[in-house]
Amino acid sequence: MHIKKIALLLVSCVIILNIGATARAFSDTYPKNPNIDILHYSFSINLFDTTDVIRAKATITFLLKKNGINKLRLDLIKKDDSLGGKGMSVTRIENNGKVLDYSHELNILWINLPSSKANNEQTVTIEYQGIPKDGLMIGNNKYGDRCFFSDNWPNKARNWLPTVDHPYDKATSEFMVTAPLKYQVVSNGLKVEESNVGNGMRLTHWKQSVPIACWLYVLGVAEFAMQHVDDFDGKPIQTWVYKQDRVAGFYDFATPTKQVLQFYSDYVGPFAYEKLANIQSHSAG
């Protein structure tokens, strides 16, 4: 009996030591800054059929929580030969029309801020372009049709979006995507605009008013078929599938989604977002 107790104690110690070693190996080393709170991201993105280069503008609103903060740190993968020429190149950064100095090295974008007092909101606008190394998948789907899909988990948003790419800092967001007319665009939140802007291009604007981590920012651009399935607590349920899968896709998502939402609302908590969209994606077929 005594030997069994010793053996059990040794096993317990080994398990505890292994857990401790694992925790150290996977400890979070991200340089969090509790004195800066990102409030809102606004991304204006231009997509093309003739090139994989995206041309974009990010307008970021943030709160400074103490005096004397003079730099903003963002994650953004920089264009580099080691990435096959992929990555992002920043061309201009402004604050209220004033050009700001910045450095972009080791995939970190440091922006020099004007002097400001605590509890003051500021906004910077970043113009940039490039071919994403990851995070935004650009290519053909299983039908050979070109499409664009985000794949930000767990920290790949930085490949195409200048962000605090860590879930500790959540923010609202909006995507204003200009793409060829043949595409339909889906993203987080509610659609607030869809306009033909000439030269065979359409602007689609989605806005998300619930703060979320940037790995949850979704963008899908494809030749979709879209169906409004139903509403749940006043929030739309939608299905977005490739045009070739319209009949089968609409059928598959028609019934279970609302039942699933009801189950989790009853046993976990209310659905917090402005819509639920089931999306067939480039990565999932």
Side-chain angles (χ1 to χ4, degrees):
M1 185 69 176
H2 182 63
I3 294 174
K4 288 183 179 179
K5 287 183 178 179
I6 293 175
L8 182 60
L9 179 62
L10 288 173
V11 170
S12 300
C13 289
V14 170
I15 292 173
I16 292 170
L17 287 172
N18 283 338
I19 291 173
T22 302
R24 287 192 298 273
F26 293 97
S27 60
D28 186 359
T29 60
Y30 190 87
K32 301 174 186 176
N33 187 348
N35 296 311
I36 297 179
D37 182 16
I38 306 295
L39 302 176
H40 185 75
Y41 294 103
S42 177
F43 301 108
S44 178
I45 299 174
N46 290 270
L47 304 175
F48 308 93
D49 278 340
T50 55
T51 178
D52 289 347
V53 173
I54 66 170
R55 294 187 174 90
K57 180 185 293 185
T59 300
I60 304 171
T61 302
F62 53 96
L63 178 68
L64 302 177
K65 294 186 175 182
K66 75 172 188 177
N67 296 330
I69 298 175
N70 57 15
K71 285 184 180 293
L72 173 65
R73 180 195 185 280
L74 298 171
D75 301 298
L76 185 65
I77 300 298
K78 184 179 179 180
K79 181 179 179 179
D80 193 85
D81 290 341
S82 67
L83 303 177
K86 295 183 178 181
M88 297 296 122
S89 297
V90 176
T91 56
R92 185 181 180 91
I93 301 180
E94 292 185 355
N95 168 264
N96 295 323
K98 180 182 178 181
V99 176
L100 300 180
D101 293 328
Y102 64 90
S103 65
H104 190 192
E105 300 296 337
L106 301 176
N107 301 321
I108 298 171
L109 181 61
W110 285 102
I111 303 172
N112 295 338
L113 300 175
S115 59
S116 180
K117 295 182 180 180
N119 299 315
N120 181 45
E121 288 187 16
Q122 288 205 30
T123 298
V124 296
T125 299
I126 304 163
E127 297 179 16
Y128 65 101
Q129 63 180 21
I131 300 175
K133 177 65 173 66
D134 208 335
L136 182 67
M137 302 171 65
I138 303 174
N140 294 340
N141 64 16
K142 64 182 182 180
Y143 295 108
D145 294 333
R146 184 171 171 83
C147 53
F148 309 76
F149 284 102
S150 59
D151 181 22
N152 293 331
W153 170 261
N155 60 351
K156 296 188 291 187
R158 66 188 68 188
N159 283 275
W160 62 295
L161 302 173
T163 55
V164 175
D165 196 8
H166 189 284
Y168 90 90
D169 198 343
K170 299 173 177 62
T172 56
S173 64
E174 56 191 310
F175 281 82
M176 291 160 283
V177 178
T178 301
L181 286 171
K182 68 180 182 180
Y183 294 115
Q184 289 75 44
V185 177
V186 62
S187 187
N188 305 87
L190 299 176
K191 187 191 293 185
V192 297
E193 182 185 0
E194 187 175 70
S195 301
N196 293 349
V197 292
N199 297 319
M201 304 292 279
R202 178 187 293 120
L203 168 67
T204 309
H205 183 179
W206 290 87
K207 190 170 185 178
Q208 162 86 4
S209 63
V210 180
I212 56 176
C214 57
W215 72 265
L216 288 167
Y217 293 170
V218 171
L219 180 63
V221 181
E223 295 181 69
F224 282 119
M226 192 282 281
Q227 181 185 47
H228 175 84
V229 178
D230 204 342
D231 289 312
F232 179 79
D233 286 348
K235 300 171 182 180
I237 300 171
Q238 301 172 353
T239 297
W240 296 71
V241 295
Y242 300 142
K243 61 183 182 181
Q244 296 91 340
D245 293 328
R246 174 181 172 274
V247 175
F250 287 177
Y251 176 82
D252 288 341
F253 287 118
T255 302
T257 304
K258 191 170 185 177
Q259 296 172 351
V260 171
L261 284 172
Q262 188 65 61
F263 175 86
Y264 281 104
S265 294
D266 290 342
Y267 292 98
V268 179
F271 183 68
Y273 305 105
E274 294 155 309
K275 76 167 183 299
L276 188 144
N278 293 303
I279 304 170
Q280 183 179 12
S281 75
H282 181 57
S283 58

